[in-house]
């Protein structure tokens, strides 16, 4: 049970680091982060059988989409925090490694590239966006920030 609690804490911590990076990206680099309201919109249209959108921005807003999107963002951050356990076992929680954390960040790129971006109408790995390589780079940096956050959070609870 303690492994689950620690992993949940690590997932929340890593997601907070990812959000801190997104804040820096927005205010320092002047690049807007993902609008989690769009994630919520996508989640809320799933029960209607709407898995793919021409573009998610052209889909009507839904009540509660922002809260749903942020909640889903943190839930996924927690779920992804179990990946280092799959890679290194429970040793990860007592002796976290930067390499495992960053590898996890890279592995989690599959979710936006293969699921979220296509579902939003942006194509696989943002191939249908105006600047796909910029979108890919920003996704990579954000997921590396998440990976770094995994390490920082795991290191903090291991101490």
């Amino acid at each position: 049970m303690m492994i689950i609690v620690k992993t949940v804490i690590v997932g929340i911590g890593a997601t907070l680091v990812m959000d801190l990076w997104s804040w820096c990206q927005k205010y320092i680099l002047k690049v807007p982060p993902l609008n989690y309201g769009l994630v919520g919109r996508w989640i809320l249209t799933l029960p209607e059988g709407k898995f793919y959108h021409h573009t998610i921005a052209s889909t009507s807003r839904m009540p509660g989409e922002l809260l749903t999107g942020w909640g889903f963002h943190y839930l996924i951050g927690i779920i992804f925090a179990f990946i280092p356990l799959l890679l290194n076992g429970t040793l990860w929680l007592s002796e976290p490694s930067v390499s495992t954390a960053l590898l996890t960040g890279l592995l989690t790129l599959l979710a936006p590239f293969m699921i979220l971006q296509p579902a939003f109408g942006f194509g696989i790995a943002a191939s249908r966006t105006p600047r796909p390589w910029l979108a890919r780079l920003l996704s990579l940096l954000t997921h590396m920030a998440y990976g770094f956050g995994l390490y920082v959070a795991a290191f903090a609870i291991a101490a």
Side-chain angles (χ1 to χ4, degrees):
M1 186 61 160
M2 199 52 158
I3 292 169
I4 293 172
V5 171
K6 286 182 176 183
T7 304
V8 168
I9 292 168
V10 168
I12 292 169
T15 307
L16 284 169
V17 170
M18 181 179 179
D19 292 338
L20 178 62
W21 164 253
S22 292
W23 181 84
C24 289
Q25 176 182 296
K26 179 179 178 181
Y27 291 103
I28 296 170
L29 301 179
K30 307 295 185 208
V31 177
L34 175 62
N35 174 355
Y36 289 105
L38 298 178
V39 175
R41 189 176 305 170
W42 177 66
I43 294 295
L44 293 170
T45 60
L46 289 175
E48 300 170 3
K50 185 82 171 166
F51 297 102
Y52 297 98
H53 298 259
H54 175 66
T55 63
I56 192 75
S58 65
T59 301
S60 299
R61 288 179 170 235
M62 301 193 70
E65 68 181 31
L66 189 60
L67 182 60
T68 301
W70 276 98
F72 186 73
H73 168 60
Y74 272 83
L75 175 63
I76 293 301
I78 291 166
I79 291 169
F80 284 168
F82 285 87
I83 294 173
L85 291 173
L86 297 172
L87 297 173
N88 282 35
T90 56
L91 180 65
W92 159 254
L93 291 171
S94 58
E95 297 177 31
S97 71
V98 173
S99 59
T100 298
L102 294 180
L103 175 60
T104 300
L106 283 174
L107 291 172
T108 63
L109 270 174
L110 290 172
F113 284 179
M114 304 305 289
I115 299 170
L116 205 57
Q117 291 168 356
F120 280 16
F122 301 156
I124 293 174
S127 62
R128 293 186 188 153
T129 61
R131 297 185 302 185
W133 284 103
L134 178 61
R136 292 170 190 150
L137 175 62
L138 293 173
S139 290
L140 172 66
L141 293 174
T142 300
H143 282 256
M144 296 310 329
Y146 173 78
F148 179 71
L150 285 172
Y151 175 74
V152 169
F155 185 81
I157 67 165

